[in-house]
Amino acid sequence: MKTYLVTGGAGFIGSNFIHYMFRKYGDTIRIINVDCLTYAGNLENLREIEDKPNYIFKKVDICDEDAITRIFGENEIDRIVHFAAESHVDRSIRNPNVFMKTNVIGTLTMLNAAKNQWELPDGSYKPDKRFLHVSTDEVYGSLPDGDGYFYETSPIDPHSPYAASKASSDFIVKAYVDTFGFPAFITNCSNNYGPYQFPEKLIPLIINNALHGKQLPVYGDGKNVRDWLYVDDHAKAIDMVLEKGRLGERYNIGGHNEKQNIEIIHIILDTLREMLPDGDPRKQNISDNLISYVEDRKGHDRRYAIAPDKIKAEIGWEPEIMFEEGIKKTIAWFFEHEDWMKNVTSGDYAKYYQDMYGVK
Ligand code: NAD
Ligand code: TYD
């Protein structure tokens, strides 16, 4: 039985990955989820699997070397999937320090703990051990409108403090591969969307605000482009890289779903109108008049677009869920999980929203 150590498994992508892995492998794998439960970590995301005997949750900070060493002392780990991070660009602009601590020092702590457990006296590694560092396309910086793609060989040129912290952690992983022959992969994925995404990010924020008749804040001219990937496709890619990837390599993961932010907002509004039954009181809230152009994000990257050619050619991964289908699945999930949204938007979220957008 393989043991996976997943960091940040109570967050958006981590929890979807854990669900995906249990759906795929059932009781033939064991997962240890290490998460310190920041504002973005939510154990409700894992309710359905929390009692499984092959699932263990550890409330631990990845920067806490002693606690991480203890977990490695008690468990022989086969696969590490490292999601834990501060992940929101707007927060990184307001408070960069915690991004450097978690994303850079936290990654270093995980690498050292894995290296200590896996390295043999002759400097080689125990067989079949793998560390996958989950990173982002934002490390490549920004593309001009309608021109070019990010390849694995594109220059690393981060702009936001978030992107800089992720680029730094990518370089540290690469240094461990190049210097110590450490068995790692780096994956750089485009914007994800789907169930359990925290409503500080564009898509769940727009869905939630539209349903409540609240303004839909559009930064700048609304024409910035992101390349959207349904989260299950990301989970599948990670699993495939772990099992079929070439050690030491970087793989771009992207959805071929490039859209302007304003297009995303119109698709969400149209899909909400289509999916809400007549007579549902929320339907009358849905209006284009909610769209509100606000001050642009500082240093706002114009366009991200991934060329996922390498992962397709070497590993056979391709996105399965195109945006039109994925957004319907996502909205259906939010309809069915109103309590989830109510819980995550109570308390600190209201303060964050007021500080960030200047309105309630
Ligand atoms: P998220 O913010 O939803 O979740 C992050 C999780 O990490 C939370 O559960 C949080 O509690 C945990 N965490 C934070 N600091 C920690 C610490 N010091 N110790 C232990 N746990 C800690 O993030 P997400 O959107 O699920 O992103 C997961 C990873 O994927 C990140 O590394 C991010 O950079 C990367 N990524 C995200 C996207 C995206 O669109 N969301 C795209 C590409 C890559
Ligand atoms: P976001 O979901 O924060 O992801 P990222 O910045 O990592 O790409 O934002 C996606 C895009 O949507 C980005 O161009 C910023 C924009 N955006 C808005 O226009 N309004 C908002 O309220 C938010 C949160 C984002």
Side-chain angles (χ1 to χ4, degrees):
M1 185 185 260
K2 277 194 188 101
T3 296
Y4 287 74
L5 191 158
V6 173
T7 69
F12 162 49
I13 308 176
S15 60
N16 277 287
F17 176 75
I18 291 175
H19 287 297
Y20 174 87
M21 293 299 280
F22 280 135
R23 279 200 305 275
K24 176 161 181 196
Y25 294 103
D27 293 337
T28 65
I29 58 167
R30 196 163 79 101
I31 297 182
I32 303 170
N33 175 15
V34 175
D35 195 304
C36 72
L37 302 181
T38 66
Y39 76 92
N42 184 354
L43 290 180
E44 261 191 66
N45 300 1
L46 297 157
R47 276 290 170 252
E48 291 137 51
I49 55 101
E50 69 184 3
D51 293 329
K52 287 174 79 64
N54 50 337
Y55 169 74
I56 298 157
F57 173 65
K58 299 275 186 193
K59 186 174 182 312
V60 163
D61 188 325
I62 54 164
C63 300
D64 182 344
E65 208 180 314
D66 292 344
I68 294 293
T69 305
R70 228 172 294 130
I71 294 171
F72 277 84
E74 289 162 5
N75 299 280
E76 181 66 32
I77 309 295
D78 301 298
R79 303 276 183 271
I80 296 171
V81 188
H82 177 40
F83 293 101
E86 289 293 334
S87 70
H88 191 40
V89 173
D90 291 326
R91 290 187 193 250
S92 82
I93 294 168
R94 284 161 172 254
N95 180 16
N97 290 26
V98 65
F99 283 72
M100 304 307 151
K101 183 158 186 274
T102 293
N103 300 2
V104 182
I105 304 299
T107 299
L108 184 64
T109 309
M110 293 308 302
L111 287 167
N112 285 335
K115 182 169 174 290
N116 285 343
Q117 181 176 83
W118 294 348
E119 196 174 26
L120 296 168
D122 67 357
S124 69
Y125 287 82
K126 294 178 188 169
D128 200 26
K129 303 290 187 187
R130 279 135 173 63
F131 184 112
L132 190 145
H133 176 62
V134 180
S135 190
T136 165
D137 59 358
E138 304 194 23
V139 302
Y140 298 118
S142 183
L143 293 164
D145 281 331
D147 184 23
Y149 289 93
F150 295 138
Y151 291 89
E152 287 79 359
T153 48
S154 298
I156 303 296
D157 182 23
H159 298 145
S160 71
Y162 162 67
S165 70
K166 293 297 291 188
S168 308
S169 61
D170 292 10
F171 278 135
I172 297 170
V173 175
K174 183 177 178 306
Y176 272 53
V177 169
D178 294 348
T179 307
F180 305 118
F182 183 76
F185 306 102
I186 299 170
T187 54
N188 294 88
C189 189
S190 61
N191 287 59
N192 284 213
Y193 67 101
Y196 305 113
Q197 188 167 28
F198 192 79
E200 64 188 353
K201 304 276 168 49
L202 181 71
I203 288 183
L205 186 145
I206 295 298
I207 296 172
N208 185 45
N209 282 17
L211 288 171
H212 289 93
K214 285 173 62 175
Q215 69 145 11
L216 309 177
V218 184
Y219 300 164
D221 65 1
K223 293 186 179 161
N224 300 67
V225 170
R226 298 293 183 263
D227 181 358
W228 295 94
L229 183 70
Y230 190 68
V231 64
D232 276 357
D233 275 330
H234 189 185
K236 182 176 158 199
I238 289 172
D239 178 40
M240 288 178 79
V241 170
L242 278 168
E243 301 316 316
K244 298 185 182 171
R246 277 187 297 136
L247 279 177
E249 291 293 311
R250 177 192 288 274
Y251 293 94
N252 283 354
I253 305 172
H256 287 308
N257 268 312
E258 275 183 62
K259 291 203 180 347
Q260 292 182 343
N261 295 334
I262 191 68
E263 287 180 77
I264 294 284
I265 292 172
H266 282 296
I267 293 171
I268 292 174
L269 290 172
D270 290 344
T271 313
L272 286 171
R273 282 189 200 99
E274 184 190 316
M275 288 175 72
L276 282 168
D278 289 337
D280 187 311
R282 293 172 299 179
K283 198 163 186 167
Q284 66 202 33
N285 290 335
I286 312 299
S287 163
D288 290 6
N289 294 334
L290 296 173
I291 293 173
S292 164
Y293 286 86
V294 299
E295 192 187 334
D296 206 356
R297 174 186 278 172
K298 287 190 174 70
H300 196 176
D301 286 339
R302 188 64 176 172
R303 173 171 165 261
Y304 301 146
I306 279 274
D309 304 11
K310 178 174 171 181
I311 190 170
K312 183 179 174 195
E314 286 191 12
I315 295 179
W317 176 88
E318 275 190 287
E320 278 176 26
I321 299 169
M322 291 298 108
F323 194 75
E324 293 61 33
E325 182 190 352
I327 197 67
K328 283 192 183 137
K329 283 162 81 88
T330 303
I331 289 175
W333 188 88
F334 280 110
F335 283 167
E336 285 157 21
H337 294 81
E338 265 189 292
D339 283 352
W340 183 93
M341 186 59 95
K342 231 178 251 161
N343 291 344
V344 301
T345 50
S346 64
D348 287 352
Y349 180 81
K351 186 177 177 318
Y352 164 78
Y353 197 90
Q354 167 84 50
D355 287 351
M356 179 69 208
Y357 296 97
V359 287
K360 283 203 169 123

